Amino acid sequence: MIRAVIFDFGGTLAKTSTPWDTVSNRIAERLEYEDIKIDPVDLEEAINETIEYRYQHHQLGLELDSYQFFNHALGKMEYNVPVDITDELEQMVYEEGYVSFAENLEEVLMNLSEEYMLALLSNAWLEAPRQLLRDHGYGRWFKALICSYDIGIPKPDPRIFRHTVDLLGVHPQEAVMVGDSLEADIKGALGAGLQAVLIDDGFSDWGGPKIMELSELPDLLHSMDV
Ligand SMILES: [Mg+2]
């Protein structure tokens, strides 16, 4: 019996993007007050390298938090980020980012929450996925909002899936992971004993349950729950 539905964020509940040039300008301006003088163009490059560095960490089953993220970027320019302004820098990333939520999201979440416990499980080094859901009024549908930086372990590591089902108080096989990444969401979930639904663009060769739109999810879950 399916008791919980766990959602990925980016590419699943919403599409997001970050204009790192604008963010880098704002961060460089802010850092001047800390006597840190850096060229925003260098900072943007350092951030891009840090995004790459973070993906390499994922291969090792490790996630960064925002302090580690900014510190690695500034470290490239031989500065340390003052720990007390990390939240402020993170807020700049949040404010400049773009988000577009999946169609009919409110209706889908409302429907599903009548039958299942809902949770978020996002690979994130910052608060943004949780903050976006809360700020747009979707947070109330979720029993748990989990970001990988909370425990320092990203998907597809089975430990973060087990952490999530433990929080929800369900067995792994009673939970379905819904996501757009075959590697992180689907293989990760299956490896931890959960069920999985792929949000598919129509091009993957995944033979398991898949949907193209979130609005197809309630019917699909009923067909899986036999
Ligand atoms: Mg995703």
Side-chain angles (χ1 to χ4, degrees):
M1 185 181 163
I2 297 171
R3 295 179 60 205
V5 181
I6 303 166
F7 292 95
D8 164 52
F9 188 74
T12 300
L13 294 178
K15 296 209 183 338
T16 59
S17 66
T18 308
W20 288 111
D21 52 346
T22 314
V23 173
S24 299
N25 275 321
R26 280 191 64 187
I27 291 179
E29 267 175 38
R30 174 62 184 86
L31 289 172
E32 273 185 40
Y33 292 99
E34 307 291 325
D35 282 326
I36 296 177
K37 290 197 179 10
I38 47 172
D39 183 337
V41 175
D42 293 342
L43 177 59
E44 189 185 350
E45 196 180 309
I47 286 175
N48 284 325
E49 282 171 35
T50 305
I51 291 169
E52 216 25 68
Y53 169 78
R54 179 178 166 242
Y55 287 134
Q56 288 160 10
H57 258 60
H58 281 191
Q59 309 304 317
L60 307 170
L62 297 169
E63 180 62 280
L64 306 182
D65 61 24
S66 60
Y67 177 68
Q68 292 167 323
F69 185 95
F70 290 124
N71 221 20
H72 185 269
L74 284 184
K76 300 233 153 235
M77 288 162 285
E78 280 159 25
Y79 285 109
N80 293 316
V81 66
V83 66
D84 55 320
I85 68 161
T86 308
D87 287 350
E88 236 181 286
L89 302 186
E90 197 184 314
Q91 188 60 24
M92 291 174 184
V93 179
Y94 182 71
E95 286 168 6
E96 299 300 332
Y98 303 110
V99 64
S100 134
F101 285 96
E103 241 177 278
N104 304 318
L105 183 57
E106 180 80 12
E107 199 186 321
V108 171
L109 294 175
M110 190 171 68
N111 261 334
L112 291 172
S113 69
E114 287 173 9
E115 284 181 76
Y116 314 103
M117 281 184 276
L118 307 183
L120 171 81
L121 176 53
S122 173
N123 272 358
W125 57 273
L126 73 186
E127 189 63 14
R130 253 191 308 246
Q131 204 175 349
L132 284 167
L133 287 174
R134 287 186 179 133
D135 287 357
H136 289 82
Y138 299 115
R140 65 201 160 114
W141 302 113
F142 293 84
K143 176 120 198 249
L145 299 170
I146 297 152
C147 291
S148 49
Y149 85 84
D150 297 341
I151 60 166
I153 298 169
K155 299 176 286 186
D157 193 303
R159 287 174 295 173
I160 195 166
F161 291 95
R162 299 221 178 92
H163 172 75
T164 306
V165 294
D166 283 351
L167 271 179
L168 296 171
V170 301
H171 295 294
Q173 65 271 21
E174 295 174 322
V176 179
M177 178 73 207
V178 181
D180 68 318
S181 165
L182 195 52
E183 205 52 48
D185 299 316
I186 307 306
K187 291 185 182 166
L190 297 178
L194 284 74
Q195 305 185 59
V197 171
L198 180 69
I199 304 262
D200 190 42
D201 52 12
F203 294 102
S204 86
D205 53 9
W206 161 246
K210 56 182 164 185
I211 51 177
M212 288 186 79
E213 304 286 339
L214 272 188
S215 54
E216 301 165 42
L217 189 57
D219 284 348
L220 178 68
L221 291 173
H222 286 146
S223 75
M224 289 167 70
D225 203 7
V226 287

